[in-house]
C-alpha cells in the first residue's frame, strides 16, 4: 500500500476476520478512500478475491509474498478472465516454468549452472526413488561424509515445506511415502525429489529485477540467509551475501558472489524473466555454489537488499514499488552500471516462538511492543506499537522485520545488538505464562553473521 502511494496508484486491501486488528487494516482506512478495504473469508479463495477486484474496480492484483504469489494458475486466471487484470509478478508462463524445481534444474544444467546432486525430475515410483536414494548415500560415503543423509522433498513445495532428512536407508521408504502423501494433500502433486543434503553450507540469494521486455534483467546484489530455525526457516538475512573485505574465508568469496550473480542473470535472460525474482543458492565450505531453486515472487527479505542499494547514487530504493511500476508496464529505466551498493544490511525476523523447544509457535497476547527509533533502523510490522494485540492462531506468529544498516559489517552488528537490547516485547498467554520470542536467539547468532 505504501508503494502504491509513492507511485500515485490507488489500492484496495483485503483482510480476514482473524486479521481485523492488523496494522494493514488501519493503514488502508487511513490512506485509502472508498472501497479501499474489503473483508474476505480466506486469503486462499481466488473466487472471492476476483469478486473484490471487480467490485472495487481494480485493474491489477498484487499477490503478496505468499498465498498465490507463485501459483501460475492464479496468475493465468487474472490475466485471461473476461475482465482482464494485470498480475504484478512474472508472467504465468515463467512462473510455471521456473516454479517447477525439475524444469529449473534441467534449464540450469543446460546452461552449465551447477545444481544440487540428485533426481532431475519428480519421482512417482517407490522402487526408483529407493535406487536414487541408495546412489546418493553411496556417493556421500565415497566423499568421506561421516553421517550421510538424503533430502526428500515435495517437488511442488517451497519455503521449507514438505522436506525431510533421512539418515538411515532403512527408513527411506516410510519417509518417501509420508512426503508423497503430504505433497498430494498440500500441492495436489505427489511428485517427490531425492537430493543430496549438503549440511555444511551457507544459503545465499541473488535479487533479480527485470521489466516486461524480459531482455534487460539487473541484479540488486546478494543476501545471506544461513541463520535459520531447525525447520530451515530464515531468521536473519544479511546483504551482501559475504564480506570478503572484512572476514577471511577458505575460498574466494568475492568470486563466488560474482559467479552466482552471473549464473542467475544468464538464466533470467534465457527465460525472458519479466518482473522481480530471487535465485536461491547453496555454497559449500569449499566455496562450490549449487542452485537450489528460483522464487518467482517478491520475498519478505527484499527490504534488506533495497536498504544497501543505490540507483544513480540515490538512496531509498523500494523494490516493491519497482515491482509494481514495471509490472504495470513501465520500462526499467536504468542499467546495471547505474546500480551500486553501500554498507551492510541486517534483517531480523521477530517471531513469537520458543527456540529452545524446536521453535514452537507461541500463542497469546502482546501487551508491550516498543523500540527506540533510529535513523539506521526500519521496522516493518502489523502489530500495534502501544496497545494489546492478540496473535492470530491461523497464521505463523511473525511479528516484525527489523532492518538495520551500517557502513560496514561490524557497525551493522553493533547496531543490531543495540536494537535487540532496547527492544521491549512482553505479553502472556491464557495461563499467565510470559511471552516467548526469538529475540535471545537473534542476539546469540548476531556474532556469527556472514561467518562460515
Amino acid at each position: 500500500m505504501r508503494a502504491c502511494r509513492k507511485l500515485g496508484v490507488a489500492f484496495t486491501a483485503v483482510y480476514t476476520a482473524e486479521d481485523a486488528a492488523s496494522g494493514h487494516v488501519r493503514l488502508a482506512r487511513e490512506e485509502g478512500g472508498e472501497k479501499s478495504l474489503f473483508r474476505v473469508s480466506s486469503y486462499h479463495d481466488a473466487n472471492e478475491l476476483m469478486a473484490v477486484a471487480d467490485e472495487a474496480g481494480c485493474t491489477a492484483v498484487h499477490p503478496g509474498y505468499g498465498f498465490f504469489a507463485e501459483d501460475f494458475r492464479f496468475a493465468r486466471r487474472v490475466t485471461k478472465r473476461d475482465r482482464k487484470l494485470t498480475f504484478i509478478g512474472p508472467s504465468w508462463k515463467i512462473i510455471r516454468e521456473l516454479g517447477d524445481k525439475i524444469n529449473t534444474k534441467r534449464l540450469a544444467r543446460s546452461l552449465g549452472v551447477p545444481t544440487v546432486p540428485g533426481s532431475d525430475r519428480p519421482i512417482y515410483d517407490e522402487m526408483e526413488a529407493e535406487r536414487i536414494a541408495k546412489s546418493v548415500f553411496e556417493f556421500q560415503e565415497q566423499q568421506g561424509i561421516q553421517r550421510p543423509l538424503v533430502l526428500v522433498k515435495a517437488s511442488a513445495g517451497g519455503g521449507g515445506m514438505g522436506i525431510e532428512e533421512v539418515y538411515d536407508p532403512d527408513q527411506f521408504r516410510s519417509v518417501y511415502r509420508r512426503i508423497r502423501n503430504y505433497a498430494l494433500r498440500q500441492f495436489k502433486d505427489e511428485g517427490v525429489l531425492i537430493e543430496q543434503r549438503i549440511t555444511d553450507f551457507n544459503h545465499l540469494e541473488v535479487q533479480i529485477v527485470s521489466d516486461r521486455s524480459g531482455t534487460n534483467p539487473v541484479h540488486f546484489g546478494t543476501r545471506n540467509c544461513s541463520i535459520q530455525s531447525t525447520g530451515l526457516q530464515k531468521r536473519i538475512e544479511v546483504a551482501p551475501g559475504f564480506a570478503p573485505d572484512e572476514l577471511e574465508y577458505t575460498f574466494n568469496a568475492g568470486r563466488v558472489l560474482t559467479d552466482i550473480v552471473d549464473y542467475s542473470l544468464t538464466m533470467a535472460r534465457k527465460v525472458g524473466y519479466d518482473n522481480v525474482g530471487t535465485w536461491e543458492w547453496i555454497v559449500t565450505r569449499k566455496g562450490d555454489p549449487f542452485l537450489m531453486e528460483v522464487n518467482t515472487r517478491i520475498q519478505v527479505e527484499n527490504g534488506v537488499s533495497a536498504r544497501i542499494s543505490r540507483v544513480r547514487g540515490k538512496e531509498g530504493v523500494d523494490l516493491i514499488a519497482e515491482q509494481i511500476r514495471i509490472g504495470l508496464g513501465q520500462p526499467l529505466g536504468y542499467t546495471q552500471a547505474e546500480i551500486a551498493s553501500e554498507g551492510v544490511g541486517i534483517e531480523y525476523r521477530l517471531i513469537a516462538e520458543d527456540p529452545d523447544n524446536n521453535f514452537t509457535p507461541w500463542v497469546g497476547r502482546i501487551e508491550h511492543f516498543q523500540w527506540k527509533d533510529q535513523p539506521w533502523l526500519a521496522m516493518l510490522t502489523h502489530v500495534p506499537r502501544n496497545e494489546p494485540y492478540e496473535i492470530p492462531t491461523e497464521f505463523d506468529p511473525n511479528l516484525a522485520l527489523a532492518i538495520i544498516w551500517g557502513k560496514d559489517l561490524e557497525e551493522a552488528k553493533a547496531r543490531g545488538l543495540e536494537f535487540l537490547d532496547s527492544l521491549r516485547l512482553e505479553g502472556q498467554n491464557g495461563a499467565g505464562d510470559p511471552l516467548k520470542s526469538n529475540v535471545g536467539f537473534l542476539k546469540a547468532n548476531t556474532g556469527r553473521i556472514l561467518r562460515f
Side-chain angles (χ1 to χ4, degrees), residues 96-246:
R96 182 179 63 180
E97 182 173 0
L98 294 181
D100 186 321
K101 295 182 180 66
I102 305 308
N103 286 342
T104 300
K105 182 176 282 190
R106 288 175 179 165
L107 171 65
R109 289 179 175 176
S110 73
L111 296 173
V113 175
T115 61
V116 176
S119 58
D120 62 358
R121 58 186 174 81
I123 306 300
Y124 297 90
D125 180 78
E126 191 171 288
M127 297 299 292
E128 183 180 7
E130 286 189 301
R131 286 196 299 272
I132 295 172
K134 182 181 178 182
S135 68
V136 173
F137 273 120
E138 291 175 347
F139 173 80
Q140 292 181 59
E141 289 170 353
Q142 293 168 4
Q143 298 300 309
I145 296 174
Q146 296 298 314
R147 195 183 179 205
L149 62 91
V150 166
L151 193 67
V152 183
K153 61 184 181 180
S155 64
M161 297 172 63
I163 302 177
E164 282 197 43
E165 298 171 349
V166 182
Y167 291 87
D168 183 351
D170 292 335
Q171 297 295 318
F172 173 80
R173 181 175 294 184
S174 63
V175 173
Y176 170 80
R177 290 174 178 174
R178 183 161 59 246
I179 294 296
R180 183 183 63 193
N181 292 336
Y182 172 86
L184 183 60
R185 290 195 314 271
Q186 192 75 13
F187 308 114
K188 307 296 187 291
D189 183 344
E190 60 182 341
V192 173
L193 299 180
I194 316 299
E195 291 185 349
Q196 176 175 318
R197 178 72 165 95
I198 302 173
T199 55
D200 191 11
F201 67 88
N202 266 209
H203 178 172
L204 272 71
E205 300 178 342
V206 178
Q207 179 66 67
I208 299 295
V209 178
S210 181
D211 61 26
R212 289 303 191 196
S213 72
T215 60
N216 56 355
V218 297
H219 72 88
F220 279 83
T222 57
R223 296 185 289 263
N224 192 311
C225 309
S226 301
I227 298 177
Q228 303 178 353
S229 71
T230 51
L232 305 182
Q233 300 292 321
K234 303 165 190 173
R235 291 298 180 264
I236 302 177
E237 292 106 347
V238 191
F242 287 130
D245 295 335
E246 298 182 65

Side-chain angles (χ1 to χ4, degrees), residues 276-288:
V276 174
T278 301
W279 269 245
E280 299 211 12
W281 294 85
I282 284 173
V283 178
T284 69
R285 186 167 287 278
K286 293 181 179 180
D288 297 323

Side-chain angles (χ1 to χ4, degrees), residues 223-273:
R223 296 185 289 263
N224 192 311
C225 309
S226 301
I227 298 177
Q228 303 178 353
S229 71
T230 51
L232 305 182
Q233 300 292 321
K234 303 165 190 173
R235 291 298 180 264
I236 302 177
E237 292 106 347
V238 191
F242 287 130
D245 295 335
E246 298 182 65
L247 299 176
E248 289 189 7
Y249 299 90
T250 58
F251 53 87
N252 187 334
R255 176 60 184 272
V256 171
L257 295 181
T258 298
D259 285 348
I260 65 174
V261 164
D262 289 346
Y263 284 137
S264 301
L265 287 172
T266 296
M267 290 182 66
R269 293 188 192 100
K270 179 66 175 180
V271 300
Y273 202 83

